[in-house]
């Protein structure tokens, strides 16, 4: 989560909401990819940290199935990102702060664990939640 928080700082420098994400290999320690929100920098509404990290991990491994891998992200994924998590076959999602307004991994929706889908990753929430939420609160306070 510390690496994801470092990534979130890059989003702030680019004028975007400070969300950072890291994809870890099946060994749990090898970083396959890291990213932060780049919507403002690229003008791409899909440039969420999670989607970018998943794309980069798939590119690095040469496969779209990220079975065995873990996504670590500072904010609970939205519905778009939750869909990408399911479709990429990530084994688990670890997130920091809950997103009561748009979260899709347990708070507002629970897309990643929907029994109607063919893949349901493990979800671990609340890792460094206070620190992750604090970064977001500070960002929006200055806006």
């Amino acid at each position: 989560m510390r690496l994801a928080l470092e990534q979130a700082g890059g989003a702030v420098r680019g004028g975007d909401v400070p969300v950072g994400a890291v994809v870890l290999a099946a060994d749990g320690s090898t970083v396959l990819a890291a990213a932060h929100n780049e919507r403002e920098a690229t003008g791409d509404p899909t440039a969420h940290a999670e989607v970018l990290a998943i794309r980069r991990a798939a590119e690095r491994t040469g496969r779209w199935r990220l079975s065995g891998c873990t996504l670590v992200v500072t904010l609970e994924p939205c519905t778009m990102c939750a869909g990408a998590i399911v479709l990429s076959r990530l084994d688990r999602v670890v997130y920091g702060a809950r997103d009561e307004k748009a979260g899709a991994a347990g708070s507002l929706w629970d897309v990643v664990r929907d029994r109607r889908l063919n893949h349901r990753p493990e979800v671990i929430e609340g890792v460094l939640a206070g620190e992750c939420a604090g970064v977001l609160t500070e960002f929006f306070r200055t806006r």
Side-chain angles (χ1 to χ4, degrees):
M1 188 60 76
R2 295 267 177 229
L3 292 173
L5 279 164
E6 287 177 25
Q7 284 295 314
V12 173
R13 288 186 290 281
D16 216 321
V17 177
V19 177
V22 176
V23 176
L24 302 174
D27 66 12
S29 61
T30 302
V31 176
L32 295 176
H36 55 76
N37 278 356
E38 295 182 14
R39 294 175 307 169
E40 297 297 332
T42 63
D44 178 357
T46 69
H48 288 205
E50 302 95 309
V51 170
L52 295 174
I54 289 168
R55 286 177 184 162
R56 292 170 187 166
E59 184 177 336
R60 180 168 177 192
T61 62
R63 54 191 172 88
W64 65 268
R65 285 184 187 92
L66 297 175
S67 301
C69 297
T70 300
L71 174 73
V72 180
V73 60
T74 58
L75 179 64
E76 180 181 358
C78 69
T79 54
M80 176 184 68
C81 294
I85 290 163
V86 170
L87 293 173
S88 64
R89 308 299 196 271
L90 285 158
D91 273 14
R92 82 195 41 77
V93 179
V94 177
Y95 71 85
R98 287 176 62 93
D99 187 347
E100 300 293 340
K101 293 182 180 179
S107 60
L108 185 58
W109 294 288
D110 202 353
V111 172
V112 295
R113 290 179 285 204
D114 190 316
R115 293 188 180 278
R116 295 169 292 182
L117 299 176
N118 65 335
H119 179 74
R120 291 180 299 280
E122 173 186 13
V123 177
I124 300 167
E125 66 176 89
V127 176
L128 298 179
E131 195 168 337
C132 292
V135 170
L136 290 159
T137 300
E138 182 59 29
F139 174 80
F140 287 112
R141 184 175 309 170
T142 61
R143 291 275 182 243

